[in-house]
Amino acid sequence: MIMSSISNNLQAVLLDLRTAALAAGRDPAEIHLLAVSKTFGVEAVQEAVAAGQRCFGENYVQEALQKIQQAASLMPTIALEWHFIGPIQSNKTRQIASHFAWVHSVDRFKIAERLSAQRPAELPALNICLQVNISGEDSKSGVTPEDCLELACAMNALPNVKLRGLMAVPEATDDIARQHQVFRALRELKEQIALALQARFGTADQFDTLSMGMSADMQAAIAEGSTMVRIGSNIFGKRHYAS
Ligand SMILES: *Cc1c(COP(=O)(O)O)cnc(C)c1O
């Protein structure tokens, strides 16, 4: 059997994930792989599904809705889990709340409030992560580490969203030591917030997610405690329009 390159790439990424986890003394099963299919068509998703992948990340609402619908009609018996990871405009929250299982890029209370209010009653609570501007760049979206605690407590009290953890897209750098430093800072912030949620709400069991690590910095993210890596180009290849 000739394997598709997506299938080969996926196996290679899973092997790297496992190797990085074991090197860090972690159980590879603690680290979930999100395949970021933005800019690629439903055929690419189908190839990844054939290779065993079930969780997919998307950045653009219109593109994602079309793909979600196509995937459902082409693969009606296979349940896929869709994660929204892109910037959120408030006029898109209803569509996001209706069609995704997770949203990683929540960075304003108003957005979390709308997602909670607009989550269809027949669906389970929407899993959300608070996006943090961890490397402190002016241009990046995300809340400042200083504002995180208060926002997390407010979001944790909303009825139809489940605050699962923190997400970051750090400034790209080849400097491995810097990658570690930034991911470590996100992990420490997550630990601090978990303690505060525990104190305030009596439990922080569901606040279990650190969404960090992309194709260029997955190893460092895993070494520093990532529980969900978001991998696009190392699975699907180079993207040909805006990322
Ligand atoms: C595009 C994107 C990714 C995947 O990036 P790669 O470098 O292709 O692995 C991950 N997270 C977010 C938020 C993205 O926008």
Side-chain angles (χ1 to χ4, degrees), residues 168-203:
V169 185
E171 187 174 19
T173 172
D174 295 337
D175 180 346
I176 306 290
R178 173 69 184 156
Q179 292 177 3
H180 279 263
Q181 182 185 40
V182 169
F183 289 139
R184 191 175 314 133
L186 192 71
R187 169 172 37 91
E188 288 170 358
L189 187 61
K190 187 227 168 209
E191 286 165 0
Q192 201 186 319
I193 291 172
L195 288 175
L197 292 175
Q198 173 82 45
R200 177 117 154 223
F201 297 94
T203 174

Side-chain angles (χ1 to χ4, degrees), residues 32-46:
H32 302 280
L33 173 61
L34 187 61
V36 177
S37 45
K38 66 176 174 212
T39 81
F40 293 94
V42 72
E43 318 74 50
V45 170
Q46 280 184 286

Side-chain angles (χ1 to χ4, degrees), residues 36 38 59 85 167 169 214-216 230-233 239 243:
V36 177
K38 66 176 174 212
N59 288 54
I85 62 174
M167 178 271 218
V169 185
M214 299 170 40
S215 292
R230 309 178 310 268
I231 308 298
S233 39
R239 283 182 293 275
S243 66

